[in-house]
Amino acid sequence: MAFSMMQLFLLGALGPLLVDELDVSPTLLGLTTTVGFGAAAVLSPVGGRVVDRVGPRRCLVALLLVSAVALALIGSAPGSGLLLAAVALGGLPQALANPATNKAILATVPPERRGSVTGMKQSGVQLGAFAAGLPLAALAGVAGWRGAVWTAAGAAVVAAGCAARTLPRDVPRVGGPTPGARSSLVPRGAIAWLAAFSLLLGCGIASVNTYLSLYGTQRLGLGPTAAGALVAVLGVAGVAGRVGWSKVAGQPARAVWLPGGLAAGAVGAALLLAAASFAHPLAWVAAVAVGVFAVAANAVSMVLVMQRATPGRAGQDSALVSAGFFAGFAVGPPLFGLLAESGQYGAGWLLVAVEFAGACAVAVWWAVRDRGGEKR
């Protein structure tokens, strides 16, 4: 999970260096996120089917190797063209990550432990944010940003080898589509609600991931390493939030109400980011709040997917909800980038607050309709 999104976390954490060396504008920096998550959104429904048919072990090894190639290409990019192509390639690992890991959990973990285990595996994404924002950002100060990205590529190759050796072999058709299982690429019922919630949540989270470091250097007076540390703080808080709230979500009666509450907390976090322009230390509090609330909400949605997935479609349903999340990641940063380009960071964080508020409204509406866990 960490490597599936490593390239985008690195682009966010190393954004100030890329802006200087490759002459990348803030708007183009946001476009890298759009390209990466746009590709992931398009590929996710197909990726879910592939996982259901091929098995999680093969798909996890493949996504790690493709991640390594994408990172190596980013580290070699002479300009924005190859940079965007490499980020687009990185959409494939993102498309496979949630379906493959969710499928593995359903196959190997008892129901009573799935909530906490899902939180741990989802925290891998924030481990990637931490690695990009602190050790790799610090390495970039010594070896250059290209050296930091190439180091991440090498680590992905090592992880692929470990996965191939340690994960259990895929059993043909175990957990695959059952006869009569619908194969529509259109989400329905609870999966449709979760996809809509994830779309709005993704818009806000992606804007924070992409522009938090740049905001720190351009508006808060932080150096590149300290600004990268903001991303690392968000990552650590996200790990704690995902593990803790996912464990709570293991109880279905509580899980249905969690997304709305966490999205409401995310609104407050976005408002704190806007206020940080006037009181700079609030940026660190806001980074923690984004991790605890917004980032954790995505993990809770994955727990709900596994609780509500149609038998034989765990990979496909996970992919459809992930597609909504990735579509949000594709849409959010360019909108924010237009504001950042003209220096209107305050308006950008207010836009993020509106996106989180929309996610909250969708989640609460669904929870009320769901009536304590009934499938719709």
Side-chain angles (χ1 to χ4, degrees):
M1 291 297 291
F3 283 109
S4 70
M5 288 178 58
M6 179 66 75
Q7 72 274 10
L8 293 172
F9 282 127
L10 278 171
L11 289 175
L14 303 178
L17 298 175
L18 270 70
V19 166
D20 292 337
E21 182 173 332
L22 298 184
D23 195 25
V24 174
S25 69
T27 300
L28 185 60
L29 187 62
L31 184 60
T32 62
T33 301
T34 299
V35 169
F37 283 101
V42 171
L43 294 172
S44 282
V46 176
R49 285 183 169 183
V50 170
V51 172
D52 282 335
R53 294 176 182 177
V54 174
R57 177 176 177 267
R58 293 185 184 94
C59 290
L60 287 169
V61 172
L63 81 83
L64 286 164
L65 291 175
V66 175
S67 294
V69 173
L71 287 164
L73 289 175
I74 290 172
S76 304
S80 60
L82 184 57
L83 182 68
L84 292 175
V87 171
L89 177 63
L92 179 58
Q94 295 171 61
L96 293 173
N98 275 315
T101 52
N102 286 353
K103 194 87 172 177
I105 288 173
L106 286 172
T108 60
V109 178
E112 64 274 10
R113 294 189 59 236
R114 286 175 186 164
S116 59
V117 172
T118 301
M120 292 176 65
K121 73 99 173 173
Q122 289 294 127
S123 71
V125 176
Q126 300 318 118
L127 176 62
F130 173 80
L134 196 59
L136 288 174
L139 178 61
V142 178
W145 70 268
R146 295 182 190 275
V149 176
W150 286 329
T151 298
V157 173
V158 173
C162 292
R165 295 186 61 181
T166 60
L167 291 174
R169 291 184 177 275
D170 295 317
V171 179
R173 300 191 66 81
V174 170
T178 58
R182 53 183 170 84
S183 58
S184 171
L185 296 180
V186 178
R188 294 183 173 88
I191 302 304
W193 286 97
L194 288 168
F197 168 78
S198 297
L199 170 66
L200 291 164
L201 186 73
C203 284
I205 293 177
S207 296
V208 177
N209 285 345
T210 304
Y211 288 103
L212 181 59
S213 179
L214 202 59
Y215 177 56
T217 57
Q218 293 188 347
R219 288 291 178 269
L220 306 184
L222 300 177
T225 301
L230 268 178
V231 180
V233 167
L234 189 157
V236 171
V239 170
R242 287 187 163 191
V243 172
W245 289 118
S246 294
K247 186 174 182 179
V248 175
Q251 304 173 45
R254 292 184 178 180
V256 71
W257 295 102
L258 274 179
L262 294 175
V267 173
L271 294 176
L272 283 174
L273 281 172
S277 293
F278 308 99
H280 295 180
L282 288 178
W284 299 95
V285 179
V288 171
V290 170
V292 169
F293 295 112
V295 173
N298 174 245
V300 169
S301 72
M302 283 295 115
V303 176
L304 282 161
V305 168
M306 286 188 282
Q307 292 173 351
R308 304 301 182 89
T310 301
R313 276 181 50 101
Q316 181 75 359
D317 286 346
S318 297
L320 291 173
V321 174
S322 294
F325 190 61
F326 295 149
F329 266 62
V331 171
L335 297 177
F336 193 107
L338 293 174
L339 297 170
E341 189 81 22
S342 58
Q344 301 180 55
Y345 279 99
W349 299 129
L350 292 178
L351 173 62
V352 170
V354 170
E355 291 162 349
F356 286 149
C360 178
V362 169
V364 171
W365 189 8
W366 172 62
V368 171
R369 286 171 55 90
D370 192 78
R371 298 185 186 279
E374 180 184 8
K375 291 184 181 180
R376 293 185 181 273

